[in-house]
C-alpha cells in the first residue's frame, strides 16, 4: 500500500545529512562534471601565460613555480583554452615517471606523433639524441609546405621536483 500523500518523511540522522551534503559538494567540484576549471582570481597570471604563448618571438621556456595545489596547471590549461591557435599540448607528471630519463621517451613519442604523423617509440638515450637533432634541424613533416611553421607545441612538466629527486637517487 503506498504511503499517504501528506505523510512525513523520517528525519535523517545528522551524520547522514552531512554525508549527503559532502557528496553533492564533491560532485559539483569534480572536473569531469564541470568540464574544466577556471582559476579564480588568477586573471593576471592567465594574462601573462597567454602573452607568453602568443608572443611574436617564441620563447623556449616558461617556468611556473609555487606550492603544490596553488593552481599553476589550472592557469596554464585555462590560458591554452583561450588561445585560438592550433596548439599541440603534452602534460607530463613527474610522479608518473619511474626514472627521469623516461621523459625523453615520452617527449619523443608525443612529438613524433604530432610532427611526423607516426608514433615512434625509442629508449631514453636514443630518444634524447633524436630530440636534440630534431630541435636543432627541425621537424620536417611529410606533406607539409616548406617554410610553414608547424603548430605550436606546449610541453608542461608537472612535479618536476620529483624528477630531480629521482635523478639524485639513480
Amino acid at each position: 500500500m503506498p504511503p499517504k500523500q501528506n505523510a512525513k518523511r523520517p528525519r535523517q540522522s545528522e551524520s547522514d545529512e552531512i554525508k549527503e551534503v559532502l557528496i553533492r559538494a564533491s560532485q559539483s567540484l569534480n572536473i569531469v562534471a564541470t568540464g574544466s576549471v577556471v582559476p579564480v582570481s588568477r586573471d593576471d597570471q592567465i594574462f601573462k601565460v597567454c602573452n607568453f604563448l602568443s608572443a611574436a618571438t617564441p620563447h623556449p621556456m616558461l617556468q611556473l613555480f609555487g606550492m603544490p595545489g596553488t593552481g599553476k596547471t589550472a592557469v596554464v590549461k585555462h590560458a591554452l583554452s583561450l588561445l585560438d591557435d592550433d596548439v599541440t599540448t603534452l602534460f607530463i607528471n613527474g610522479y608518473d615517471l619511474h626514472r627521469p630519463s623516461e621523459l625523453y621517451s615520452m617527449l619523443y613519442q608525443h612529438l613524433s606523433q604530432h610532427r611526423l604523423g607516426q608514433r615512434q617509440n625509442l629508449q631514453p638515450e636514443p630518444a634524447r639524441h633524436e630530440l636534440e637533432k630534431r630541435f636543432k634541424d627541425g621537424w620536417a613533416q611529410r606533406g607539409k609546405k616548406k617554410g610553414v611553421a608547424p603548430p605550436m607545441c606546449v610541453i608542461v612538466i608537472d612535479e618536476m621536483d620529483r624528477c630531480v629527486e629521482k635523478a639524485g637517487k639513480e
Side-chain angles (χ1 to χ4, degrees):
M1 187 167 143
K4 292 181 182 177
Q5 294 274 345
N6 56 358
K8 288 188 178 180
R9 206 173 80 181
R11 182 153 163 50
Q12 290 180 320
S13 71
E14 188 174 318
S15 65
D16 287 342
E17 286 178 20
I18 292 171
K19 236 188 261 185
E20 191 175 306
V21 167
L22 289 173
I23 288 169
R24 281 196 316 266
S26 69
Q27 287 171 343
S28 69
L29 293 174
N30 185 344
I31 292 173
V32 175
T34 60
S36 66
V37 172
V38 177
V40 178
S41 301
R42 297 298 184 112
D43 295 337
D44 186 49
Q45 289 136 348
I46 293 167
F47 178 76
K48 287 178 181 177
V49 171
C50 284
N51 280 345
F52 175 84
L53 292 171
S54 59
T57 305
H59 302 283
M61 182 177 76
L62 171 66
Q63 181 178 359
L64 303 177
F65 55 92
M67 296 298 294
T70 56
K72 299 174 295 294
T73 303
V75 164
V76 171
K77 286 183 176 182
H78 187 67
L80 286 166
S81 74
L82 297 174
L83 293 177
D84 294 332
D85 299 334
D86 182 20
V87 179
T88 301
T89 59
L90 172 62
F91 286 85
I92 297 174
N93 192 306
Y95 281 114
D96 296 336
L97 302 174
H98 292 74
R99 308 175 113 179
S101 58
E102 289 177 7
L103 182 61
Y104 296 120
S105 296
M106 291 179 81
L107 283 173
Y108 192 74
Q109 284 174 5
H110 177 79
L111 292 172
S112 64
Q113 175 71 40
H114 289 279
R115 298 292 194 228
L116 304 174
Q118 59 186 21
R119 186 182 190 111
Q120 297 177 357
N121 297 322
L122 295 177
Q123 292 298 314
E125 194 58 25
R128 182 179 71 83
H129 288 295
E130 195 63 28
L131 285 167
E132 286 176 3
K133 176 183 169 195
R134 296 286 184 172
F135 285 130
K136 181 181 171 199
D137 300 335
W139 292 81
Q141 294 178 294
R142 288 181 286 168
K144 300 288 180 178
K145 293 179 184 177
K146 288 190 176 188
V148 176
M152 179 185 355
C153 181
V154 176
I155 301 166
V156 178
I157 305 172
D158 261 343
E159 307 300 340
M160 187 63 185
D161 56 324
R162 298 299 173 221
C163 291
V164 173
E165 287 174 9
K166 291 176 185 178
K169 295 176 183 177
E170 283 186 355

